[in-house]
Amino acid sequence: MTYPRIAGGRLTWAAVQHGARPALIHGDQTFSFDEIEARTNRFANALLGLGLAPGDRVAVLLNNCVDSVVAVFGAEKAAQTYLALNARHTLPEHAAILNDSQASTVVLGPEFAALAGELPALVPSLRHVLGVGFKAPNALDYHDLLGAAEVRAPRIPIPDDHIERIGYTSGTTGKPKGVAYTALRWQQRLDNQFHAMEYALGVDDAMLHVGPLTHAAGVYLLPCYLRGARSVVADRFDAAAMLRDIERHRITQLMLVPTMLSRVLDALDAGSNADLSSLRIINYGTAPASVELLRRAVKRFGPILRQQYGMTEAVQPLAVLYPHEHVIEGAPQETARLGSCGKPTVNVSITIRGADDQELPQGEIGEIAIAHHGIGAVQFWRQPQITAASIRGGWYYTGDLGYFDAEGYMYIVGRNKDMIISGGFNVYAREVEDALASCPGVLEAAVMGVPDPEWGELVAAFVVPREGSRVTPEELTAHCGARIAGYKKPRVIRLVKELPRNHSGKVTKHVLRDAFLQETEAAKVPA
Ligand code: ATP
Ligand code: MG
């Protein structure tokens, strides 16, 4: 016989292991593993007390705080299906996700108190609204519920196919899609994360979380918790505050999206004297980082950068570029690796596929198709048609484009929705973005295709100049001309103050494209 899994059993195990040691630090408050265990048990029992059945959907909308962790862990212990709402979304977007998931319960932070009155009318499946730190006529008080609940772990047996979480994609290329994680799959995701981190996380570590915990939670918070590392939680990203926190808490690991990395480097260049000697690893990922940015980061921090390539659909991470692979001086093929996202992780196979789904030879650009060994394929939540369309011949087609070099390093060149076909030539956004970012006056750039009657599409670039820079479109065209083929050079260049981004730090190119299309005057740059 096989003994069943216990919902949240590994969380209780971590508390037994690490007991009174600090687990979570937020502002001036420190919570031990024992305290988190007690609080999550109470929340789990409170949910069960509401009459929720295993697998009911519990949605959480909280900014970073201890309860954004308690809610994730408590829902897991109550054998509920947890899903996170995105603090940046609007009311209709929240309602769409709650209706898609058929959520029975929503947990709201004080900043979202107004939703307590609005959501029930829009989401027929909603039976309970829990207010954390606020009172409203139709919301139950979270703290009252916790106070009245039993402190012992419920320890509910769950089958392998119990849906533990629904992860919604970032919605960079369309509407967010729900990805269902079974208990087995979630465990595999965690195991793979540990492998990819080479177990380089332990009781002496302290990780600073500056992104939304509800979204990063599964990726870095849980590994920290299970390994007994301290998690220091910031309300939000702020470069100067982050540098102070690193010194104050002797932070050893960070997770940043590329924009944050760039802001931190700017803050250091501006003369911060924070003591960063405790830092061992700076993890980064979720969006392309330019070679220029990484070169700057390695120069400043040394070989402590570690890139992950992953996606909501995948057992995280799919590929890792380790610190020792971030080479800025040496053989050309070694320095070129800064543009790579590394090699596939354990139990993950990656192939590059052409238009007819055939595997392409090494060096050729095509769609990145993945397989996870030992677990079932990607499963979209109640979207069998999307699941069927994206899994072909046993491979999950990611929508990302890339290629492998002769040594097995993978390079992402963009998304297939973003590939530009100009005059019959394929242009990949990433290459043009990197060429633009290598211009000293440029902070960052986003490249996309815009319709053109003559060429089909034109390469258009939205460029953010560095503060104080007077870089002109003509200079940028000349700069690109010396680096990339003529047909790849941007024909339309717009200088903008900033790029629109979603909560994962990804540029929402459709917003730029739509704005561009609405304009009557296009600033075309001569060839
Ligand atoms: P949607 O699928 O809704 O359009 P999304 O793909 O942005 O949104 P996520 O699952 O959050 O949603 O993000 C995964 C994507 O992020 C990957 O498919 C890839 O395009 C990008 N990405 C992740 N890591 C990296 C990386 N290290 N380098 C470049 N791109 C990355
Ligand atoms: Mg995606």
Side-chain angles (χ1 to χ4, degrees):
M1 78 170 266
T2 309
Y3 294 101
R5 286 165 196 276
I6 300 295
R10 63 195 151 207
L11 300 169
T12 300
W13 168 84
V16 170
Q17 284 293 305
H18 309 302
R21 293 172 48 80
L24 203 92
I25 298 167
H26 178 230
D28 293 329
Q29 291 182 297
T30 300
F31 301 88
S32 68
F33 284 84
D34 285 337
E35 284 168 323
I36 300 284
E37 172 70 7
R39 202 152 160 145
T40 54
N41 289 349
R42 286 184 190 278
F43 181 54
N45 288 319
L47 287 176
L48 294 169
L50 295 175
L52 302 187
D56 270 1
R57 268 74 65 202
V58 172
V60 175
L61 178 55
L62 287 172
N63 282 327
N64 282 357
C65 62
V66 60
D67 292 303
S68 55
V69 176
V70 169
V72 188
F73 289 3
E76 179 175 339
K77 285 184 175 170
Q80 305 297 300
T81 299
Y82 165 88
L83 63 116
L85 295 176
N86 181 342
R88 296 232 204 135
H89 277 175
T90 58
L91 175 66
E93 289 168 317
H94 290 312
I97 287 185
L98 290 168
N99 280 320
D100 183 62
S101 61
Q102 294 283 289
S104 71
T105 305
V106 66
V107 182
L108 300 173
E111 305 84 350
F112 312 104
L115 296 180
E118 293 165 326
L119 284 173
L122 300 172
V123 184
S125 62
L126 210 54
R127 283 183 282 137
H128 311 286
V129 178
L130 272 59
V132 183
F134 72 91
K135 301 231 183 258
N138 55 350
L140 297 166
D141 186 290
Y142 168 87
H143 290 291
D144 287 353
L145 284 177
L146 252 63
E150 165 78 56
V151 75
R152 256 202 330 218
R155 299 190 60 79
I156 302 169
I158 43 166
D160 281 354
D161 62 357
H162 163 71
I163 306 286
E164 190 148 322
R165 291 182 186 221
I166 305 173
Y168 280 86
T169 61
S170 299
T172 310
T173 58
K175 271 206 307 215
K177 305 174 284 283
V179 179
Y181 275 96
T182 61
L184 181 63
R185 199 176 167 76
W186 189 253
Q187 179 64 47
Q188 177 89 11
R189 179 171 165 142
L190 202 58
D191 288 349
N192 205 23
Q193 181 71 44
F194 278 138
H195 268 293
M197 294 179 96
E198 295 179 311
Y199 296 93
L201 186 67
V203 291
D204 293 329
D205 275 296
M207 188 176 254
L208 180 59
H209 304 270
V210 290
L213 267 187
T214 41
H215 287 77
V219 182
Y220 286 98
L221 183 81
L222 205 45
C224 287
Y225 195 77
L226 297 182
R227 291 260 181 253
R230 278 169 295 142
S231 284
V232 180
V233 178
D235 288 335
R236 68 190 69 79
F237 171 74
D238 174 277
M242 190 178 106
L243 293 170
R244 283 196 300 275
D245 278 343
I246 294 172
E247 177 173 324
R248 174 169 167 214
H249 298 285
R250 303 296 298 154
I251 295 297
T252 62
Q253 295 218 22
L254 290 173
M255 160 63 200
L256 302 175
V257 302
T259 335
M260 295 174 181
L261 185 59
S262 158
R263 300 269 144 79
V264 173
L265 289 167
D266 288 347
L268 287 170
D269 287 352
S272 163
N273 56 2
D275 173 7
L276 307 183
S277 57
S278 56
L279 268 186
R280 260 183 347 102
I281 299 197
I282 302 176
N283 300 283
Y284 68 95
T286 77
S290 75
V291 171
E292 211 41 50
L293 172 65
L294 295 180
R295 200 181 291 281
R296 221 179 131 204
V298 178
K299 262 196 197 141
R300 170 61 84 163
F301 295 112
I304 64 166
L305 282 107
R306 179 182 167 281
Q307 182 183 172
Q308 284 203 179
Y309 164 57
M311 60 191 62
T312 314
E313 301 92 304
V315 170
Q316 291 272 356
L318 291 165
V320 173
L321 188 73
Y322 286 102
H324 67 273
E325 294 164 317
H326 284 74
V327 179
I328 53 171
E329 279 164 25
Q333 76 273 19
E334 285 182 348
T335 50
R337 274 179 213 149
L338 273 193
S340 160
C341 63
K343 295 180 181 180
T345 53
V346 67
N347 296 328
V348 169
S349 289
I350 302 185
T351 52
I352 304 294
R353 306 263 155 181
D356 52 1
D357 287 356
Q358 291 302 305
E359 185 169 351
L360 296 176
Q362 178 262 311
E364 283 190 29
I365 293 175
E367 186 165 355
I368 297 171
I370 60 170
H372 301 133
H373 303 289
I375 52 164
V378 176
Q379 198 190 326
F380 286 101
W381 171 256
R382 290 192 174 153
Q383 300 260 31
Q385 68 296 354
I386 301 186
T387 308
S390 50
I391 301 175
R392 305 193 291 275
W395 295 89
Y396 175 71
Y397 284 72
T398 62
D400 288 332
L401 298 173
Y403 68 94
F404 279 101
D405 72 11
E407 288 170 283
Y409 284 92
M410 189 166 79
Y411 295 76
I412 300 168
V413 299
R415 299 184 185 237
N416 57 6
K417 284 198 178 164
D418 288 338
M419 192 180 77
I420 306 154
I421 306 181
S422 191
F425 287 108
N426 292 352
V427 182
Y428 303 101
R430 176 84 185 268
E431 190 182 357
V432 187
E433 286 162 3
D434 275 356
L436 287 162
S438 70
C439 180
V442 171
L443 183 64
E444 55 183 3
V447 167
M448 71 212 65
V450 292
D452 180 75
E454 191 183 350
W455 298 98
E457 280 185 299
L458 285 183
V459 180
F462 289 76
V463 179
V464 184
R466 285 191 173 283
E467 229 175 87
S469 150
R470 287 168 192 253
V471 72
T472 63
E474 289 71 23
E475 281 161 13
L476 291 171
T477 309
H479 182 86
C480 289
R483 282 163 181 80
I484 50 177
Y487 68 90
K488 298 177 185 170
K489 272 195 316 192
R491 300 296 147 144
V492 176
I493 296 183
R494 289 294 156 92
L495 300 178
V496 291
K497 279 212 178 75
E498 60 178 3
L499 300 175
R501 288 195 142 85
N502 59 26
H503 73 287
S504 315
K506 288 178 248 248
V507 178
T508 40
K509 293 190 178 179
H510 59 94
V511 173
L512 287 169
R513 195 182 284 115
D514 290 351
F516 175 82
L517 292 176
Q518 278 173 12
E519 284 177 23
T520 44
E521 290 264 325
K524 292 200 176 175
V525 178

